[in-house]
Amino acid sequence: MTTGLIPGGQPPDPRPAGTRPPQPRHPDDREALSADDRPRSSVITARAAASFEPAGRSVATARAFVRDTLQGWGFADIVDDAVVLTSELVTNAVIHAGTHADVLCLRSDDGVRVEVADRYPEREIPLQGALPAMSNPDREGGRGLQLCAAIAGRWGVEYTPTHKNVWFQIALPERAVGTRAAGPALPVGLLPLADSRVRVAVVQIDRTGSISAWNEDAEDIFGYPADQVIGKPLTDLAAWPHTPGTATGIAEALQLSRWEGSYGIRGADGRVTPVYASHLRVRDTGGEPSTVCLLVRDHERAVLQTPARVPAGDAATSSDSPNTDPFEVFIGSPAPDDLDGLLQRTVERARDMLDADAAFLLLATDDETELEVRASTGLPSTRQRFARVPVEAGPGRYGSARMPAVHEDLTAVPGAVPLLNGTGMRAVVTVPLKVEGRLTGSLGVASESPGRYSNEEALRLQFAADRIALAVESARLGELERLRRGSLSFLVEASDLLAGTLDRDQTLALMAQMTVPTLATWCAVYTIADQASDPYLSYVLHEDEELIDGIKSLLSKTAPPDPVPTPGARVWTAPGQAAHEAALRSSMRSLGLAGGPAHPVSSGIGPTLATASAVGGETVVLPLVARNRVIGMLTLGKPTDEHFRQEILELAEDLSRRAALALDNARLYSERTAISQALQRSLLPPGLPEIDGVEVDVIYRAAGEGNEVGGDFYDVFPISDGAYGFAIGDVCGTGPNAAAVTGLARHALRLLAREGLSGPAVLERLNSAILDEGARSRFLTLLYGELRPQEDGSAELKVVCAGHPLPLRLRQDGTVEPAAEPQPLLGVIEDLELYEQTVTLDPGDVLLCVTDGVTERREGSRMLGDDGLADVLTTCTGLTAGAVAARIMRAVERFASDAPSDDMAILAMRVA
């Protein structure tokens, strides 16, 4: 990957130097297919570019590049959307178009533009008019442009003679703009006094504390021209402090992000001018920090001074004022920006308003059938967070969350408010949160004393709930939207990781690592081999590695969950119960209460209690269903007293479907690979025989991943006393189809040779057997011979070379010559007239037999060939048969940088 970052300026022309700009096409051509054709006049302030190779791993690398770039620019709000769209477009370029992908990120004042270009402009986007609706959002392909249309503010496709460029632009999220403070209309006499012309001095201070800018109003107020003060520290002019009781020094105030207050500035006449200042810390496009100071004369401070907020305690007393905002009366000001902060402040104010002991707030799920605990105060623990209770807890007014309810004493109605079971609360009042008549949540306060609340308190609480319901619902929807977009980015990366491996163990590890700690504190994966097998605990992971062994031991002693194919998460209580019982037994043993002598607390109680705490929370099980069969279960757990939120469970369910298919694919791949390898190994000779006085060695390489046998084959076998047959052949093609003919040829050779037939007769009958295969037959080149060691130390060979590369004989003096003559290959014509040739190998001579995968090894236009093989063989004088074969293979591998694309076999025989 190549990258470049250029801050500022306009993006350069991406066309190569010397190329003509693209000419206008016919109106029917799609020169620019765009969802928004308005001119783009934004100023580009920064750019980042990268190029990615046409490989599957480039998609993940491109996502990381875009994420790092946008986070570096401070655009974390739009990272998830940009990553999702980039993933789809880069996948189209490197996978479907099969070319390099050039990614360009542009930063402007109104958003971020990302361009993904491939180098296949002839393959146009098959789109006419408006985008078609996605019929199935779960389908794997064809989602790139739909996502652009759904997420991006603007997008388009542009064609040039060399590139196809798909771009999208995402606007920065709009910040809330509105009235921050307002005052009532006042009589003219009560308005603040100001000069005929209000002057605001604008002074900018650099990171060293020196003045870098000084406007005309500053010169007028203080009497200094700009050239006299620029470069001087502001502390030389400031009379600090002017306001009594101000403890912060001017140097410290200039380092704060925002500051307001009073101090004095010594003017050119030596007098101190009281000023009111507002400081704001900023940084320029180069990242250099500075402080902008706005100063007015102190009696004109109303121009800059922010009105004081009404204290929370005083707000309640002024609630009857017509200008008081009921929301601020209840929540206080300013309101929290995040949902959790808003909810927590809500329950605290509700508790204080009714002088209660506890308060809680629940939000409704999307289907409004359950309420989820999101905030509480005064309860024994936070164990209830994200716990879910049904909306309709029972019959009658007191059992529904859709209307206010007052319980004078919970002991009279056990279980009326499940959230408060076991907390000691007696009286409780609950009110609904509604938006446009739809239930969005429930707010409640509780007391340890019975009879504390009546309908009057319920009305007060309902009035407050009505004031905050809309703000809470708006914050909840915003959080839900951010979570869903983050979930989409998470699932894109998860799918990419799961699709990148076919190894079962690695798939299990990826499943666990993607869920911990993003979705759960710990997880366990159970697998089911077949329908008759019980679930087996295959993998356990915890965010604290020291607890993994303890959880694994605990789960191994617990009956596995039932393999129910029903989709969705279901609660599994067995691990929590087992952990509680194990911790209780361990504690009793440590105290000597188990019937035996007392023992001091051992080191074993620590891991037991830690394990119990780790799995003591909510545990859920999601089925792993692939091809209509349950192949396992994904178990997710939380520590003590914690619950899962509904959105996390929905994300986990989506992940479990993808993980199940990946796990089943890995299983099928492993099974088929094992079967294929077993069948292929049966086609290879079981071993090489020991031949007195002759060294024999073979090197075999099958082309293709996972192939152990291809179209090339070899064999060396005993025929009769003192005679051995040897063969090396090449079936047309590679892979399983060629391997099938390989098995036929090798076994037929052994059978026919042991019948006492001569070499030509053996090959003629093998030729007939191959032709009998009909459409499945393939032509075959074959070198077959019989070897007989002689008493004088030499070896006699009878050889038939049927269309195969000629065997080479290496003499002791280093000369190389062919040891046979070429004859017709097998599997083409019916009537063959073959003959055998006799060759005598003297002591020290070597016979080298290879397949055409060796001689046809290529590097560009160069080929090793017969002459190149002979040149390598001349350097092998004095080497053993194994060393000769190894040197030939090493020369073949070094001849070209690419992996071999053809099967190769090397058979070397040397007379000792």
Side-chain angles (χ1 to χ4, degrees):
M1 179 186 76
T2 58
T3 63
L5 181 62
I6 305 173
Q10 294 289 344
D13 192 342
R15 294 188 295 270
T19 60
R20 295 176 57 192
Q23 300 299 321
R25 296 187 179 183
H26 190 272
D28 292 338
D29 292 344
R30 290 164 294 166
E31 180 65 29
L33 173 63
S34 175
D36 190 346
D37 294 331
R38 293 173 295 179
R40 298 184 293 274
S41 59
S42 301
V43 176
I44 304 301
T45 58
R47 70 187 295 270
S51 181
F52 303 92
E53 298 178 352
R57 63 180 181 276
S58 295
V59 180
T61 310
R63 286 198 299 266
F65 164 70
V66 172
R67 177 182 290 107
D68 294 343
T69 299
L70 298 190
Q71 287 179 345
W73 289 347
F75 297 155
D77 293 340
I78 61 175
V79 164
D80 289 334
D81 292 348
V83 166
V84 169
L85 298 182
T86 302
S87 178
E88 290 291 336
L89 299 182
V90 172
T91 300
N92 291 340
V94 302
I95 302 300
H96 303 303
T99 74
H100 283 73
D102 300 325
V103 180
L104 176 64
C105 300
L106 301 174
R107 182 183 70 185
S108 63
D109 52 356
D110 58 351
V112 170
R113 175 184 169 106
V114 179
E115 301 180 358
V116 179
D118 64 52
R119 303 172 188 178
Y120 193 179
E122 291 81 4
R123 181 171 180 173
E124 296 186 349
I125 300 296
L127 184 65
Q128 297 291 342
L131 286 169
M134 291 180 63
S135 59
N136 182 8
D138 294 329
R139 66 180 184 178
E140 292 298 326
R143 300 175 300 181
L145 297 183
Q146 282 86 352
L147 286 176
C148 286
I151 296 178
R154 296 166 58 191
W155 66 275
V157 184
E158 299 171 350
Y159 295 90
T160 71
T162 58
H163 290 73
K164 178 173 78 272
N165 185 29
V166 184
W167 61 270
F168 63 86
Q169 183 163 329
I170 301 178
L172 298 180
E174 295 182 0
R175 305 301 181 185
V177 177
T179 302
R180 183 165 182 258
L186 295 176
V188 175
L190 298 180
L191 296 177
L193 181 64
D195 293 341
S196 59
R197 177 181 181 274
V198 176
R199 299 183 182 276
V200 179
V202 180
V203 182
Q204 190 159 1
I205 313 299
D206 62 18
R207 67 187 309 164
T208 65
S210 300
I211 299 174
S212 60
W214 184 270
N215 73 340
E216 294 179 359
D217 283 358
E219 180 177 347
D220 185 86
I221 295 175
F222 305 117
Y224 295 105
D227 56 353
Q228 290 186 12
V229 295
I230 289 179
K232 292 184 178 181
L234 181 64
T235 53
D236 291 351
L237 306 180
W240 188 273
H242 177 75
T243 303
T246 304
T248 305
I250 184 66
E252 290 79 7
L254 292 174
Q255 298 299 318
L256 300 176
S257 62
R258 183 181 289 277
W259 184 88
E260 262 183 54
S262 300
Y263 53 87
I265 296 291
R266 292 186 180 89
D269 57 0
R271 296 182 179 182
V272 175
T273 302
V275 297
Y276 189 85
S278 176
H279 296 176
L280 178 65
R281 189 78 164 161
V282 298
R283 62 187 176 95
D284 60 17
T285 56
E288 287 295 319
S290 61
T291 303
V292 177
C293 306
L294 305 181
L295 304 99
V296 297
R297 292 182 176 89
D298 192 69
H299 65 276
E300 298 171 340
R301 64 168 57 196
V303 176
L304 298 180
Q305 187 175 23
T306 301
R309 297 285 183 179
V310 178
D314 298 335
T317 62
S318 61
S319 60
D320 295 334
S321 173
N323 295 318
T324 301
D325 185 358
F327 179 81
E328 290 195 1
V329 169
F330 185 70
I331 296 299
S333 181
D337 294 331
D338 64 304
L339 177 61
D340 289 336
L342 176 62
L343 299 183
Q344 191 61 36
R345 185 175 293 188
T346 298
V347 296
E348 291 172 356
R349 292 306 307 272
R351 179 191 62 182
D352 297 341
M353 185 177 69
L354 297 186
D355 192 21
D357 296 316
F360 53 89
L361 192 149
L362 302 86
L363 293 183
T365 56
D366 289 344
D367 56 5
E368 300 182 12
T369 60
E370 288 185 314
L371 294 171
E372 194 173 56
V373 180
R374 291 299 302 270
S376 64
T377 181
L379 294 179
S381 71
T382 58
R383 60 188 173 88
Q384 306 292 353
R385 184 167 168 81
F386 298 121
R388 291 173 297 280
V389 297
V391 171
E392 306 294 342
R397 182 166 89 89
Y398 296 106
S400 176
R402 301 184 186 276
M403 59 181 63
V406 178
H407 295 271
E408 297 181 353
D409 191 350
L410 289 177
T411 59
V413 190
V417 184
L419 179 66
L420 301 180
N421 290 344
T423 62
M425 300 296 164
R426 299 284 296 276
V428 62
V429 54
T430 61
V431 296
L433 277 71
K434 293 185 177 181
V435 176
E436 297 179 351
R438 181 173 56 86
L439 179 69
T440 60
S442 177
L443 176 64
V445 296
S447 172
E448 296 179 352
S449 303
R452 283 283 303 275
Y453 307 117
S454 63
N455 287 337
E456 181 179 353
E457 283 79 10
L459 290 175
R460 291 179 58 193
L461 189 62
Q462 184 66 71
F463 177 81
D466 292 342
R467 302 285 78 75
I468 67 168
L470 184 60
V472 170
E473 179 65 4
S474 177
R476 186 188 74 86
L477 293 177
E479 179 194 69
L480 185 61
E481 180 65 17
R482 290 191 298 272
L483 180 63
R484 286 178 175 172
R485 293 194 174 188
S487 300
L488 182 58
S489 178
F490 170 78
L491 290 174
V492 166
E493 295 197 23
S495 300
D496 187 52
L497 289 172
L498 291 171
T501 178
L502 288 173
D503 182 82
R504 176 182 176 276
D505 294 337
Q506 188 174 0
T507 302
L508 290 173
L510 285 174
M511 291 170 57
Q513 292 167 7
M514 285 185 292
T515 56
V516 176
T518 305
L519 305 182
T521 306
W522 64 272
C523 85
V525 182
Y526 290 84
T527 56
I528 303 175
D530 51 61
Q531 295 181 355
S533 302
D534 294 330
Y536 174 75
L537 182 62
S538 298
Y539 201 92
V540 175
L541 184 65
H542 191 281
E543 60 182 5
D544 184 355
E545 294 182 356
E546 296 181 356
L547 298 178
I548 294 177
D549 292 337
I551 297 177
K552 187 182 299 183
S553 176
L554 178 69
L555 294 179
S556 63
K557 299 175 183 177
T558 305
D562 296 330
V564 178
T566 305
R570 54 191 175 93
V571 177
W572 185 32
T573 59
Q577 295 174 354
H580 176 74
E581 294 173 359
L584 182 62
R585 288 194 301 269
S586 178
S587 300
M588 293 180 64
R589 283 196 301 269
S590 67
L591 298 174
L593 301 178
H599 297 283
V601 177
S602 64
S603 60
I605 189 174
T608 301
L609 295 179
T611 302
S613 176
V615 301
E618 187 175 48
T619 303
V620 297
V621 178
L622 297 104
L624 298 175
V625 180
R627 298 176 176 91
N628 299 322
R629 187 175 72 88
V630 180
I631 64 171
M633 284 89 70
L634 177 63
T635 303
L636 307 179
K638 287 281 189 179
T640 301
D641 298 339
E642 290 194 21
H643 297 264
F644 289 96
R645 62 183 304 177
Q646 187 64 32
E647 291 82 4
I648 295 297
L649 293 180
E650 293 174 358
L651 179 59
E653 182 180 356
D654 206 343
L655 175 64
S656 68
R657 289 196 294 267
R658 288 166 166 78
L661 186 59
L663 184 61
D664 197 48
N665 288 340
R667 177 188 64 82
L668 293 174
Y669 179 79
S670 299
E671 291 179 357
R672 293 181 181 181
T673 299
I675 294 172
S676 175
Q677 291 176 348
L679 293 176
Q680 290 182 65
R681 281 192 291 269
S682 68
L683 301 178
L684 294 174
L688 297 177
E690 295 287 342
I691 304 177
D692 293 337
V694 179
E695 300 173 358
V696 180
D697 207 326
V698 174
I699 295 180
Y700 185 82
R701 297 285 188 273
E705 183 180 357
N707 291 333
E708 295 188 15
V709 178
D712 291 4
F713 68 95
Y714 69 92
D715 201 358
V716 181
F717 55 92
I719 298 176
S720 58
D721 294 340
Y724 296 86
F726 66 91
I728 184 169
D730 184 2
V731 178
C732 173
T734 61
N737 293 330
V741 180
T742 295
L744 170 65
R746 195 180 68 80
H747 292 295
L749 282 175
R750 287 198 174 208
L751 292 173
L752 295 172
R754 288 172 177 172
E755 290 294 326
L757 299 176
S758 63
V762 169
L763 268 59
E764 289 169 2
R765 297 196 180 187
L766 176 59
N767 180 65
S768 300
I770 294 174
L771 293 175
D772 288 343
E773 291 294 309
R776 297 180 300 176
S777 66
R778 291 169 175 261
F779 65 80
L780 166 68
T781 67
L782 180 63
L783 172 66
Y784 173 75
E786 296 181 1
L787 181 146
R788 291 179 181 272
Q790 303 298 311
E791 294 181 358
D792 60 357
S794 63
E796 181 184 78
L797 282 72
K798 295 183 178 180
V799 182
V800 181
C801 186
H804 198 77
L806 300 179
L808 299 180
R809 176 182 182 180
L810 172 64
R811 296 184 182 273
Q812 292 185 9
D813 58 2
T815 60
V816 175
E817 61 185 12
E821 296 178 355
Q823 300 185 57
L825 52 75
L826 308 181
V828 178
I829 59 177
E830 295 184 0
D831 297 328
L832 288 180
E833 295 183 2
L834 303 175
Y835 58 91
E836 62 183 7
Q837 298 173 268
T838 302
V839 179
T840 301
L841 298 181
D842 297 327
D845 287 356
V846 175
L847 184 72
L848 177 66
C849 309
V850 300
T851 57
D852 60 3
V854 174
T855 57
E856 295 180 0
R857 178 73 162 148
R858 293 181 178 275
E859 174 69 16
S861 60
R862 298 187 307 118
M863 186 173 71
L864 180 62
D866 297 333
D867 294 338
L869 179 63
D871 292 340
V872 177
L873 185 58
T874 56
T875 66
C876 298
T877 305
L879 300 181
T880 63
V884 171
R887 178 169 293 185
I888 297 298
M889 178 56 73
R890 189 161 54 250
V892 172
E893 291 175 343
R894 292 178 177 176
F895 186 80
S897 58
D898 296 337
S901 59
D902 195 5
D903 305 326
M904 292 188 294
I906 301 174
L907 171 62
M909 295 185 293
R910 178 179 180 273
V911 179

